[in-house]
């Protein structure tokens, strides 16, 4: 039976979530841990997404995980039974990005929902998190294909395990839309307010911000918020926000009076934060480093510029396992290429200035010698030899 439910708003395979994953995996020790690939099973690069996730957990989290492939409900009997056997044995089950409606269509009326509730630890992020509530947002259909706003029935596993009639919404604070509202998993306030009226009266919207995890410990009936955002409980347009560091009793998720209040509780202050600090995306990391690069370049500190460029290259590598589709990675690579170009320009300008500088120094030295100012001439000679140039003098007439 499930003891820990972890809901992640996004960033499930980024540096932000390394510490949470380590602590969560400690709950199962060396027991089998598996990734279920269904949510992104329709994508042509599904194998690559799985490989990047496995590499992330191995290199960054320090844990080997397996992959259970269930990309269609009509799998051959032997292949299906092999996948179900792996799920039965797993004590840590992880699923992440993709399409919630695709996942639901291939999990519904199969043994998989029942096996999810048997896993000791369930870590569902992004699209997968949407499937656990009573209703799910068909994100691709509304945001990408332009269908009218509507809900689709979901697995309702969250209610089964916690008793809370919830609708799970990841990417709750998404802001990539710029001037148009993409919060609430790309619905925006207008559509969410309208759709909220179509939910059963008792429904609670559980919103998880990006790069944020909500840990629901069922034996202790407690909830912890970690990461860089917060948890929002919303009912009929009224919200209560629990920032990162907050802990609350599980019963607070279904407490109508609590969700009607707007003021957040005071966050806890643990000795060591569970989530990694830092920017919420590799794009923000790149922008911060680019600002530092510009400052160093302005004072011609080439060594610092090189160090910053190498730091950005490392950050791009650290965020390479992020399975969420985002323009941030290409933006970061563009910033890095820009740094290299600007360093090249400095080197070119310096190279072009050398001949003129040498001519000036040689002329000044020859004039010093002609004036019998040998102290100045020797100082200029020493400066040239110190810079790596060879100086050969002709006898004065």
């Amino acid at each position: 039976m499930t003891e820990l439910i972890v809901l992640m708003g996004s960033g499930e395979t980024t540096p932000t979530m390394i510490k949470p994953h380590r602590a969560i995996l400690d709950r199962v020790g060396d027991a089998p841990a598996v990734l279920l690939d269904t949510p992104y099973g329709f994508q042509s690069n599904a194998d690559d997404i799985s490989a990047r996730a496995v590499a992330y957990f191995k290199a960054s989290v320090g844990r080997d995980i397996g992959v259970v492939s269930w990309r269609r409900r009509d799998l051959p009997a032997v292949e299906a039974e092999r996948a179900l056997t792996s799920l039965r044995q797993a004590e840590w089950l992880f699923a992440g990005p993709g399409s919630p409606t695709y996942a639901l269509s291939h999990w519904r009326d199969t043994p998989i929902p029942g096996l999810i509730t048997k896993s000791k630890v369930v870590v569902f992020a992004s699209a997968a998190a949407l499937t656990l509530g009573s209703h799910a947002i068909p994100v691709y259909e509304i945001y990408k294909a332009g269908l009218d706003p509507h809900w689709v029935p979901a697995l309702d596993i969250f209610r089964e395990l916690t008793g809370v009639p919830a609708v799970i919404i990841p990417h709750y604070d998404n802001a990539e839309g710029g001037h148009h509202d993409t919060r609430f998993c790309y619905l925006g306030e207008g559509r969410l307010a309208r759709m909220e009226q179509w939910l059963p009266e008792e429904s609670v919207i559980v919103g998880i911000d990006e790069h944020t995890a909500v840990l629901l410990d069922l034996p202790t009936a407690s909830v912890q918020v970690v990461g860089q955002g917060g948890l929002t409980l919303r009912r009929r347009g009224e919200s209560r926000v629990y920032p990162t560091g907050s802990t609350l009793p599980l019963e607070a998720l279904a407490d109508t009076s609590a969700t009607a209040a707007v003021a957040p509780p005071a966050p806890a202050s643990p000795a060591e934060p569970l989530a990694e600090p830092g920017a919420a995306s590799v794009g923000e990391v790149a922008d911060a480093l680019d600002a530092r690069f510009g400052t160093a370049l302005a004072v011609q500190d080439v060594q610092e510029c090189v160090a910053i460029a190498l730091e950005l290259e490392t950050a791009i590598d650290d965020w390479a396992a992020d399975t969420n589709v985002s323009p941030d990675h290409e933006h970061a690579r563009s910033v890095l290429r820009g740094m290299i170009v600007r360093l090249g320009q400095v080197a070119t300008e310096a190279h072009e200035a050398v001949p003129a500088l040498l001519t000036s120094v040689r002329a000044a030295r020859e004039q010093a010698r002609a004036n019998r100012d040998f102290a100045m001439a020797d100082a200029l000679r020493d400066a040239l030899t110190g810079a790596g140039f060879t100086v050969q003098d002709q006898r004065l007439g």
Side-chain angles (χ1 to χ4, degrees), residues 369-394:
R369 293 183 73 215
N371 294 338
R372 302 287 177 172
D373 186 353
F374 295 116
M376 176 60 73
D378 289 346
L380 292 172
R381 180 198 62 204
D382 292 344
L384 289 170
T385 56
F389 296 100
T390 301
V391 178
Q392 292 183 340
D393 290 331
Q394 294 181 347

Side-chain angles (χ1 to χ4, degrees), residues 91-155:
E91 293 195 13
W92 178 92
L93 175 60
F94 173 77
S99 165
T101 49
Y102 184 86
L104 287 168
S105 68
H106 294 293
W107 287 344
R108 192 175 284 111
D109 300 324
T110 75
I112 287 182
L115 293 176
I116 292 174
T117 65
K118 299 297 189 295
S119 184
K120 183 176 181 180
V121 176
V122 175
V123 183
F124 272 32
S126 193
L130 282 156
T131 69
L132 295 180
S134 61
H135 298 73
I137 301 168
V139 183
Y140 281 71
E141 292 83 347
I142 296 175
Y143 186 62
K144 297 295 185 181
L147 297 187
D148 289 337
H150 63 285
W151 299 103
V152 295
L155 301 177

